[in-house]
Amino acid sequence: MLYNIAIVIVRFAMLFVFRMKFAGCENIPSEGGVIVAFNHTSNWDPVMAGLSCKRQLCFMAKEELFKNPLFGGLIKRLGAFPVRRGKGDIGSIKAALRILADDNAMLMFPEGHRIKNNKKVKAKPGVAMIAVKAQVPVIPVCISGEYKWMHKITVTYGKPITFEEYYGKKLEQEQIQLAADRVLKEIRALKAIEKGDK
């Protein structure tokens, strides 16, 4: 309930800040567990993800944000759960698997952190590892445009990626990395399509 109210309020406010365009939203399954994977360049990205997605998104947030009881409680009600960055946080992985097992949609950033100046990085393996363990599809999504007043921000959802060939198998780290890189490659391909449409 709080999430839906927040989305309505923020969407209205953003009409006076950015010119937003959402494309490919029909690629989001209406039900079932799914990972929605975005590129990440700005602190605005989670906001734009929530505004563009027709389903409520659960998401990982650095554990430091939960130290303030009021703010931590608020973002928890909005779908956040804590993760210890830079460490093998088994607890956050288990939480993610439970969220997906409950047929929810989860936001992830394959790059792991904000990337500036179009720098090319390898995908973090987490997105593929969780998708395979949870046996859910990944929707690649590209956000493009500058977060400046009344600039156009385009959010494009691609076709679902599945890793069914890996389900139930013990994978080598190289296989997981290749799967994660595939997700990031699809996101970058969407960006190229967006440029061609301008």
Side-chain angles (χ1 to χ4, degrees), residues 119-179:
K119 183 180 177 181
K120 293 290 180 71
V121 298
K122 291 182 67 174
K124 299 293 184 182
V127 63
M129 180 185 67
I130 292 173
V132 171
K133 283 184 176 292
Q135 299 188 5
V136 299
V138 179
I139 309 295
V141 193
C142 180
I143 302 176
S144 65
E146 291 186 89
Y147 287 109
K148 294 182 178 180
W149 184 64
M150 294 313 293
H151 276 228
K152 184 178 179 181
I153 304 296
T154 302
V155 183
T156 305
Y157 287 78
K159 299 290 185 183
I161 302 170
T162 60
F163 300 109
E164 293 178 2
E165 67 273 23
Y166 295 144
Y167 290 174
K169 297 180 180 179
K170 186 175 181 180
L171 301 181
E172 299 292 334
Q173 188 63 35
E174 183 180 354
Q175 291 174 298
I176 296 174
Q177 186 62 57
L178 286 172

Side-chain angles (χ1 to χ4, degrees), residues 84-149:
R84 286 176 291 174
R85 298 193 300 178
K87 302 177 183 178
D89 188 354
I90 301 299
S92 64
I93 293 174
K94 288 182 177 179
L97 294 175
R98 284 195 299 270
I99 285 168
L100 294 168
D102 289 338
D103 294 333
N104 294 305
M106 192 171 77
L107 164 66
M108 292 190 74
F109 295 113
E111 293 156 317
H113 54 85
R114 285 176 290 150
I115 303 298
K116 298 293 186 180
N117 302 318
N118 294 315
K119 183 180 177 181
K120 293 290 180 71
V121 298
K122 291 182 67 174
K124 299 293 184 182
V127 63
M129 180 185 67
I130 292 173
V132 171
K133 283 184 176 292
Q135 299 188 5
V136 299
V138 179
I139 309 295
V141 193
C142 180
I143 302 176
S144 65
E146 291 186 89
Y147 287 109
K148 294 182 178 180
W149 184 64

Side-chain angles (χ1 to χ4, degrees), residues 16-59:
F16 302 96
V17 182
F18 305 122
R19 294 184 296 117
M20 299 178 293
K21 177 185 176 183
F22 305 145
C25 296
E26 68 277 3
N27 291 321
I28 309 166
S30 58
E31 57 185 20
V34 63
I35 293 174
V36 190
F38 287 76
N39 59 318
H40 195 16
T41 62
S42 167
N43 287 330
W44 282 103
D45 293 335
V47 176
M48 205 55 60
L51 293 178
S52 64
C53 189
K54 63 185 181 182
R55 293 176 61 179
Q56 178 173 347
L57 293 172
C58 300
F59 56 96

